[in-house]
Structures are given as C-alpha cells and as structure tokens.
Amino acid sequence: MTVTTEKPQDAAPGHGHHAGRVSAGVFNPRQLAEALPDALRKLSPRHQLANPVMFVVWAGSLLSTVFAVSRPGVFTVGTTLWLWFTVVFANLAEAVAEGRGKAQAETLRRTKKETIARRLTEDGSHERVPGVDLRVGDLVVVEAGEIIPGDGDVVEGIATVDESAITGESAPVIRESGGDRSAVTGGTTVLSDRIVVKITTKPGESFVDRMIALVEGASRQKTPNEVALTILLAVLTIIFLLAVVALQPMAAYAGTLQPVVVLTALLVCLIPTTIGALLSAIGIAGMDRLVQRNVLATSGRAVEAAGDVDTLLLDKTGTITFGNRQATEFIPVGDATLAELARAARLSSLADGTPEGRSIVELCVRDHGLAAEPSEQERLAEFVPFAAQTRMSGIDLGGRQVRKGATDAVRAWVVEHGGTVPDDVREIADRIGANGGTPLLCADQDRVYGVIQLSDVVKPRMRERFGELRAMGIKTIMITGDNPLTAKAIAAQAGVDDFLAEAKPEDKMALIRKEQEGGRLVAMTGDGTNDAPALAQADVGVAMNTGTMAAKEAGNMVDLDSDPTKLIEVVAIGKQLLITRGALTTFSIANDLAKYFAILPAMFAGIYPQLGKLNIMGLHSPSSAILSAVIFNALIIVALIPLALRGVRYRPASAQSLLRRNLLVYGLGGIVTPFAGIWLIDLLVRLIPGM
C-alpha cells in the first residue's frame, strides 16, 4: 500500500511578491524627460491625423511658423513656439503612458527563453527540436528542472510549476492533466515530476507574446465610448473653426483685420485641446492599471465595459469557496464515542490522497491528537479506493474492514454485512446537507461509528466584498452545480444576491443572455473548459491563469494571480477610467469658457471699447493676454498628465452624486483655474520687451 498524506496545492492567490513584473508605479517627472524623444517622433502628420483636435493644433502651428519666419516678432515667435509646445505636450502625455507599458513589456521579453523541446514522435521516442519549431498539436515531454517550451495543456502527468517569471507569484502551482488546472505557459519551469504537454499556440502567438503586444499598446484599439467622445471633440473643433473663420470678415468690416497668428491662437484656446491631448493617455493608463494588478485585458473595450457592469456571475467552487471540501466535524451515533469515530475515520483516510481524505486526517491530528503517519502495521493494510459504483473508500486491516462514503451506500453495505444503522443517521445527514455540507458515513461491517461532516468553506471577507459590489449597484449571482439546498446555504453565508443551482454550461449561457436582454452588462469569472461559452458571451469575461486554454481564449481578460474576487477591482478600475474621462472632459470644456474672457476682449477692445469691461483679469495688453492664454493652454496639459495616468479616485456612489461632484470639482475648477493661471502668466509676460 502506498500511503499519501500530503499533496502540494496551488498557492493562495495574490500573495506573491510579483518579482517578475515591473509596476508602472507612481508618476514622476523623470518619466517626462524619458518620453520626450517619443513625443517628438509623434509630430509626424500621419500620427497627428489620428487625433482631429490635435491635428488642427498641429496645422495651426505649421501655419503660424510660416508667418513667424516671414514676419518675425516677439509676439509672433513666442505664440508660435507655445503652439508647438502644445502639440509636443499632448504627444508627451501619450508617450509617458506608452513608456510605462514598454517598461513592462521589456521585463516580459526578458522572461522569454529560447528552449530546446523534447518532442514525442509517432513511435514514442523523443526528438530534440528548437522551441520555435513547435507546431500546434505537437506533444512535448517536460521533466523537473526543464523549461516549458510553449503554451499548451497537460495531457499526461502532474507536476509543480514555477510561474513567477510570468505572474510574479513566488509559490509554485500544481498543473495536472484532465482538470481545470491543465494549462501551462511557455517560459515557466517544471520543478518536480514529469508531464506531457500538447502545444496549443503557434510560435510568436504565445501568451507572453500577446502580453507584450498588449502592454506596449500595439493592440489597443479605441473603445466605443472613446470613439464617441473623439467624434464629439471633432464636431466641437469644426464648429469653433467655422466661428473663428467667420471672425475675420467681421474684423474686416470693422476696418481692422486680425493677424493669422492671433486667429490661430484663438482657435487653439477655444477648441477642447486639454481632453483631446489626454484622451489617449487616459485609455492606455486604464489598461496599465490592470496590468499593475496582474490582470491582462485583451481589449480596451473590456476595461470600459467593466465600468458599466450591472450583474456579476461568480462560480462557487474555487471562487466564493475554497473548492476543496474539508472535514469540519465528527458526529458519533448510537453507542459509539467521539474517540472511536475519530480513530475509524483516520484509519479509513490514511491512504486517501484526495483533498477530503487529507482533511479528515488533519482534523484527527489537530483535534484528537492522533498520529498523522501510519504505523508499521497500518502500512501493511490494503487500501480500497473510491469507486463510482460503490461510492465508498476505506481500508482492510487484519480482518477488519472500515469504510467511509455516501450515507446511503455505507448504510446498505452495513446492512448487507448484518449490522444495524442507528435511526438518527438520516436526520444528521439531512441537517448537514441543508446547511450546505456533505455528510459521509463511517462504519465497520457491523457497526456504524458516526457521520463526518465535509464543508465547502467560504473564503474570508467574501460577505464584505459583495457588500462593496452592492454599494456600486452591482447584482451578484453565485453559480454552482450543487443542489438547491446546499446552494442556498452557501449563498446565505457568502452574502450574494442570488444563486443558480445545478447549473450546466447551457444554463449559464441562458442566464447571461437573460440579463443582457434586460439591457444589463454582465461580467463573469471562470477557469474551466465548461465555462468557455459563458465567458465568451459575457460582456466582461475574466479567465483564471490557472484555468484551461479554452477559458483563456474565450475571456477578454486573464487574471495572472487566479484570484476570482479580483473582478471587484477590475470593475472599480473600469469605473475609474470612465470617471476620469468624464472629469477631464468637464474640466477641458469649462477651461475654454474662461479663455474667452482673455482673448476676445484682447482682439476687439480696440474696435469695440465696450469689450474692455470683459477684461476682468486686468491683463496688460492684447498681445500679453493672447500669449498668456496660449502658454496656459499648453502648460495645463502637462499639469494634468499625472491625473490622467493615475485616474480620478473612485468611491462607490450613484450616477447623480458623481455628476454633481464632477460639476462642482472639475466644472468649477475648470473655470476658476484659467483665471488664476492666465493672470499669473501675464504678470511674467508683460516683463518681456515688446509686449
């Protein structure tokens, strides 16, 4: 008999040191200097065309440069330089956001190692080939100390794997065939045993390759919300462009034509340059914040959708609960004592390598002082493994037979051997089942010792975390294959809003579609192949890194820590992205209102003296007023880069309260800030000779 009492388990999620990853961290001014070369490269017209607002600024800067060269002057040259600074600062915001991703991508590139794979041939022998020559469907053998040459699924064996190079998690994890923990990632290292891996990706399309492309921003596409906002900004730009062009005929009629540089400055200050400059950086930073938390989003659309999620589906096993049922109580029946039940339960579980069997032995050791290791005599016993037909397992030792298993199966086995079953067994079993547990009956051939209670333990702080989701207005639904009684008990312990019991893959799909038909956005976590259809149907599908390749391919996010409750953070980041975009849009438009009071009086005060009353800032001269507004317009972009990258702080609140806060803080702030900023800049500009 081979006795197994311990088996390594997956490390608890979220407790590694993330040594393999480089966090973008807090914004620091040095990042501006490092991103400056990229910002200058982005001055090409092809790049500027992607952003209508900044393309108008770029074209205006080019036009002003022509006049500055042909008719140089302090005002013309100064205004032209600051118009170019506006374009450069806008590029700088995007370059800083991309630079943080490139630093993370470089770290990931260092984890990629060229490997020699041992590929299985048709006759069962091995051939050594470079990892880059592997194709989809190839079978490779990987043993302790060797690097897994490519992404795939374990089809034979079980092993502990070091994934710290990819996930940053320092503790090794279990990978085994035939389950939801079969997926392996190229570049990770096998620490023990031997596995056969079936390659599932082509060279250059591995998980690490996709991560590199995503964190660099190469695969980031504009989200629907971002596209809509870009169109709005383009429309506003066209409106202001037509308005500024119409000013020149009015000025000609009044007898004072305005210089082209002045009209360009007015246009640049009136159009929403602030949000236009920061829009791309906000989107990149949203995905970057997910990467910092070890979540890889395959699209910006998924991040944005997370901010609007109404319903959250969570798998019970391994998500809300630990997944492995654990022995929590021994309940003796009849004339049996607690000590007799504990000894019989330990004996029947010594050779049981399942999580349930190990937990029974642990309970015997912890609460009853019994030995964890078998004695010499016990090592000679014959272990009876669990079988679907008998629904029992146990041990035969010196003419004694001890069994544990499903209550009705053990009851029938005892009666068959001439024993009797106490009347209270059924009542105890029903009570345990109603409370969400699983009862196992433990007995000899002719005597029942009692009931072992197994419980699927709810993870700590789950009720509090679901309370946070409820405060966000998100409905939580637990999905489980358990019977309704067990599901109801676990749902009550965890604090979810609803549950779906005895769920099959098609039931999950039907539930998601039902929620979506009501106009709600649905998020779901999963790790198994049977979760793949539902992950694909959900608006936000977060697959666990420990899960199957099918689940990873179906979802639009992958959690490298395999912590299903992290979806709460994903939702918060999505909401933060939307709030940041809304806040800076509000600030940008309010900003433009204040600039009217600086530039319009300066342009027409000579023609219409009455406009002088609008010069409430008391600016020195028309030239200093216009130049001060252009300088402020450029500097405010740089000042807001840290906020765009960090994001506006999110607190769970209703849409109405968020709107009020936006208008109060960013709307009012957007009006007040330019008055103070332009006035201070004017105090310095007026000192320049010729102004």
Side-chain angles (χ1 to χ4, degrees):
M1 174 182 79
T2 302
V3 178
T4 305
T5 57
E6 292 186 8
K7 174 183 174 184
Q9 294 297 304
D10 267 2
H15 297 291
H17 51 66
H18 303 295
R21 307 195 58 76
V22 173
S23 171
V26 180
F27 171 82
N28 64 73
R30 189 179 66 185
Q31 292 174 346
L32 292 175
E34 292 172 350
L36 187 58
D38 275 344
L40 295 175
R41 281 192 287 270
K42 290 177 182 291
L43 286 173
S44 68
R46 179 179 298 179
H47 179 82
Q48 296 301 318
L49 273 169
N51 189 330
V53 177
M54 297 317 300
F55 178 73
V56 169
V57 180
W58 178 88
S61 304
L62 201 62
L63 184 62
S64 295
T65 303
V66 174
F67 285 92
V69 171
S70 60
R71 303 173 197 170
V74 175
F75 171 76
T76 306
V77 172
T79 302
T80 300
L81 285 174
W82 279 100
L83 288 175
W84 279 115
F85 284 150
T86 304
V87 182
V88 171
F89 292 162
N91 293 343
L92 198 60
E94 186 177 6
V96 168
E98 290 177 349
R100 287 146 63 107
K102 287 176 181 176
Q104 293 166 330
E106 189 56 38
T107 302
L108 288 169
R109 278 197 183 90
R110 289 198 292 268
T111 69
K112 291 186 66 178
K113 301 173 183 176
E114 295 301 325
T115 57
I116 299 297
R118 289 192 291 152
R119 183 166 59 188
L120 282 173
T121 60
E122 291 183 1
D123 60 4
S125 61
H126 301 165
E127 60 176 351
R128 302 181 72 85
V129 298
V132 294
D133 290 345
L134 292 174
R135 295 293 179 265
V136 176
D138 284 350
L139 297 177
V140 295
V141 177
V142 192
E143 296 184 345
E146 294 180 345
I147 296 171
I148 297 172
D151 292 2
D153 290 322
V154 178
V155 294
E156 180 183 319
I158 179 172
T160 53
V161 179
D162 176 11
E163 294 187 339
S164 60
I166 306 300
T167 67
E169 183 62 61
S170 56
V173 295
I174 295 290
R175 292 292 176 265
E176 57 187 330
S177 62
D180 289 346
R181 295 180 178 180
S182 62
V184 290
T185 305
T188 57
T189 305
V190 172
L191 299 179
S192 70
D193 303 294
R194 171 188 183 274
I195 53 175
V196 176
V197 177
K198 183 177 182 179
I199 301 298
T200 56
T201 58
K202 300 176 183 178
E205 297 179 5
S206 69
F207 189 59
V208 174
D209 290 314
R210 282 185 288 141
M211 286 177 66
I212 291 170
L214 287 164
V215 298
E216 279 186 321
S219 299
R220 196 190 83 85
Q221 296 179 339
K222 288 186 176 181
T223 63
N225 184 286
E226 193 174 349
V227 169
L229 185 54
T230 301
I231 294 171
L232 173 63
L233 298 181
V235 170
L236 288 175
T237 300
I238 292 170
I239 292 172
F240 283 122
L241 178 61
L242 294 174
V244 170
V245 169
L247 285 177
Q248 191 68 314
M250 294 172 60
Y253 178 77
T256 307
L257 284 172
Q258 294 294 326
V260 173
V261 174
V262 172
L263 293 173
T264 302
L266 173 64
L267 175 62
V268 169
C269 289
L270 293 187
I271 63 177
T273 50
T274 306
I275 186 61
L278 297 173
L279 189 58
S280 180
I282 294 169
I284 294 171
M287 295 184 71
D288 177 66
R289 283 194 291 276
L290 279 181
V291 173
Q292 290 177 47
R293 288 162 177 78
N294 264 15
V295 178
L296 179 67
T298 58
S299 71
R301 182 190 295 264
V303 186
E304 188 176 281
D308 286 327
V309 161
D310 302 293
T311 304
L312 176 58
L313 307 185
L314 293 147
D315 190 41
K316 176 186 77 78
T317 305
T319 302
I320 294 174
T321 65
F322 283 107
N324 294 332
R325 295 176 300 173
Q326 301 173 11
T328 53
E329 188 180 0
F330 294 145
I331 306 171
V333 296
D335 60 353
T337 65
L338 182 60
E340 287 177 324
L341 172 57
R343 286 194 294 269
R346 170 187 171 274
L347 195 60
S348 66
S349 305
L350 275 176
D352 187 351
T354 65
E356 293 86 353
R358 291 197 305 275
S359 72
I360 292 172
V361 174
E362 289 167 3
L363 183 61
C364 292
V365 173
R366 184 178 68 246
D367 293 356
H368 301 279
L370 301 178
E373 298 297 327
S375 65
E376 289 298 324
Q377 182 183 5
E378 289 168 344
R379 289 182 186 277
L380 301 175
E382 181 181 350
F383 175 58
V384 179
F386 177 85
Q389 293 78 14
T390 63
R391 293 188 295 150
M392 296 185 297
S393 64
I395 197 169
D396 292 344
L397 176 62
R400 183 184 180 192
Q401 294 180 332
V402 182
R403 298 288 185 271
K404 69 173 190 300
T407 53
D408 56 338
V410 175
R411 178 199 298 269
W413 179 77
V414 170
V415 171
E416 182 183 334
H417 286 79
T420 58
V421 179
D423 296 334
D424 53 351
V425 167
R426 185 182 297 277
E427 179 188 342
I428 293 171
D430 290 344
R431 186 176 72 244
I432 292 173
N435 291 329
T438 301
L440 297 181
L441 198 57
C442 183
D444 272 346
Q445 301 102 307
D446 56 356
R447 186 185 183 198
V448 174
Y449 291 104
V451 179
I452 304 168
Q453 177 174 327
L454 300 179
S455 302
D456 198 354
V457 181
V458 174
K459 291 181 178 179
R461 290 198 68 248
M462 291 305 299
R463 179 174 286 275
E464 290 82 356
R465 302 209 77 177
F466 289 138
E468 293 172 19
L469 286 170
R470 202 169 290 111
M472 295 179 189
I474 298 172
K475 177 183 178 183
T476 53
I477 302 176
M478 181 186 79
I479 300 176
T480 177
D482 289 340
N483 63 70
L485 278 178
T486 301
K488 183 178 180 180
I490 296 292
Q493 291 178 45
V496 295
D497 297 317
D498 202 353
F499 65 89
L500 176 66
E502 297 177 341
K504 299 184 287 293
E506 53 268 29
D507 296 329
K508 300 177 187 178
M509 289 281 289
L511 177 60
I512 292 174
R513 285 173 178 158
K514 180 182 176 183
E515 292 289 321
Q516 290 172 332
E517 285 170 3
R520 291 179 286 270
L521 292 185
V522 180
M524 178 185 171
T525 61
D527 58 1
T529 301
N530 64 336
D531 292 324
L535 286 170
Q537 178 68 34
D539 300 286
V540 180
V542 182
M544 302 296 102
N545 192 42
T546 54
T548 61
M549 196 61 67
K552 291 184 193 179
E553 293 289 344
N556 47 29
M557 292 187 189
V558 177
D559 177 16
L560 302 180
D561 289 333
S562 299
D563 176 9
T565 62
K566 197 183 288 183
L567 191 51
I568 297 171
E569 295 176 41
V570 171
V571 169
I573 290 171
K575 288 186 177 295
Q576 185 184 37
L577 171 67
L578 296 176
I579 290 170
T580 302
R581 192 180 290 156
L584 292 184
T585 301
T586 303
F587 184 90
S588 180
I589 294 174
N591 220 312
D592 296 334
L593 294 174
K595 295 171 196 167
Y596 300 160
F597 291 92
I599 295 184
L600 287 177
M603 288 178 63
F604 295 104
I607 308 172
Y608 305 109
Q610 297 88 342
L611 290 176
K613 294 179 181 178
L614 294 178
N615 185 15
I616 58 179
M617 289 178 272
L619 302 178
H620 174 64
S621 67
S623 297
S624 72
I626 294 169
L627 182 57
S628 298
V630 172
I631 293 174
F632 175 83
N633 194 63
L635 292 179
I636 196 65
I637 294 172
V638 179
L640 290 174
I641 289 177
L643 181 61
L645 298 181
R646 186 181 67 248
V648 175
R649 185 177 178 186
Y650 169 69
R651 300 182 185 90
S654 65
Q656 291 83 355
S657 60
L658 287 175
L659 178 61
R660 284 195 300 269
R661 177 187 164 208
N662 259 11
L663 292 176
L664 181 64
V665 176
Y666 296 97
L668 187 60
I671 293 174
V672 172
T673 305
F675 281 100
I678 293 173
W679 179 76
L680 289 172
I681 294 170
D682 182 72
L683 293 179
L684 299 174
V685 169
R686 69 178 61 180
L687 301 176
I688 301 173
M691 295 302 294

